[in-house]
Amino acid sequence: RVASRWIQETRMSSIRICHPQHRNMHNKIFGGYLMRQAFELAWTNACLFSKTKPRFIALDDTWFRCPVEIGSILEFTSQVMYVGPPETGYFQVSVTAEGIDPVSQERITTNVFHYTFHSSVPVPLVFPKSYADAMRYLHGNRCFSKALQRSQDQSAEHRVHSLMASWRNQ
């Protein structure tokens, strides 16, 4: 029997202040810095969720919705959105970055990242408890299906290239 958890129970977050050393040539925060912060939180969440060191499989949909200003306060929130069939060990983790205005407390989503991980040990299934979590679950399922399809396409393409190479060598 595989254990299960609510999606909201897998949520974790971190706060970052965006310093000038992470700026790009447009005087905004460099996207690579944001990707690194998001990946580190996603991997940490995946590690705690799977209770092992997970293997990173894919970076899926990534949205850069608006530029991040120097001095911004960013909250990165990560959660496990979807778990593939239990025997596969694959699962999806989403990270959302929100800019927080310190005066008005207004939040604006600046970035969204989706990652696929693999665990060598069985992971618990996740289930939505709210409508918002149900939408995340469905999106995680779509990301997982796309990552699986890309993997199969690349595997088929690799087989074709291998066959062509062996044919040329004959």
Side-chain angles (χ1 to χ4, degrees):
R1 185 177 150 196
V2 178
S4 63
R5 295 176 65 185
W6 295 115
I7 287 176
Q8 66 190 23
E9 292 174 359
T10 68
R11 193 168 291 148
M12 61 184 344
S13 64
S14 67
I15 302 285
R16 298 280 188 262
I17 299 172
C18 299
H19 296 285
Q21 64 262 34
H22 302 295
R23 70 177 174 233
N24 62 19
M25 63 187 202
H26 303 291
N27 253 359
K28 308 292 182 196
I29 297 301
F30 176 57
Y33 171 76
L34 300 172
M35 290 177 74
R36 177 177 165 217
Q37 298 305 312
F39 177 78
E40 288 177 358
L41 181 60
W43 189 88
T44 302
N45 195 348
C47 187
L48 295 174
F49 175 74
S50 65
K51 298 180 181 167
T52 186
K53 290 185 179 176
R55 188 172 50 135
F56 169 68
I57 301 297
L59 170 62
D60 300 306
D61 294 345
T62 300
W63 302 331
F64 288 90
R65 292 190 172 174
C66 62
V68 177
E69 301 292 333
I70 294 169
S72 294
I73 298 171
L74 279 183
E75 180 176 20
F76 290 88
T77 305
S78 169
Q79 61 190 12
V80 177
M81 298 190 328
Y82 179 78
V83 174
E87 67 277 3
T88 65
Y90 290 100
F91 57 101
Q92 289 286 135
V93 177
S94 168
V95 178
T96 302
E98 290 184 315
I100 305 169
D101 183 308
V103 176
S104 69
Q105 303 293 303
E106 182 182 346
R107 292 170 172 265
I108 184 165
T109 299
T110 60
N111 307 87
V112 181
F113 306 91
H114 300 283
Y115 301 95
T116 303
F117 290 95
H118 179 263
S119 171
S120 59
V121 299
V123 294
L125 295 172
V126 293
F127 294 102
K129 194 173 189 178
S130 66
Y131 178 79
D133 282 347
M135 294 298 100
R136 288 183 191 99
Y137 181 85
L138 290 174
H139 187 72
N141 184 333
R142 286 187 203 110
C143 287
F144 175 75
S145 296
K146 282 196 286 185
L148 191 61
Q149 183 62 47
R150 273 194 312 271
S151 173
Q152 290 170 347
D153 291 347
Q154 289 171 350
S155 179
E157 185 178 328
H158 177 70
R159 286 193 303 272
V160 168
H161 286 299
S162 296
L163 285 171
M164 290 175 65
S166 65
W167 177 73
R168 276 185 246 142
N169 292 335
Q170 291 180 353

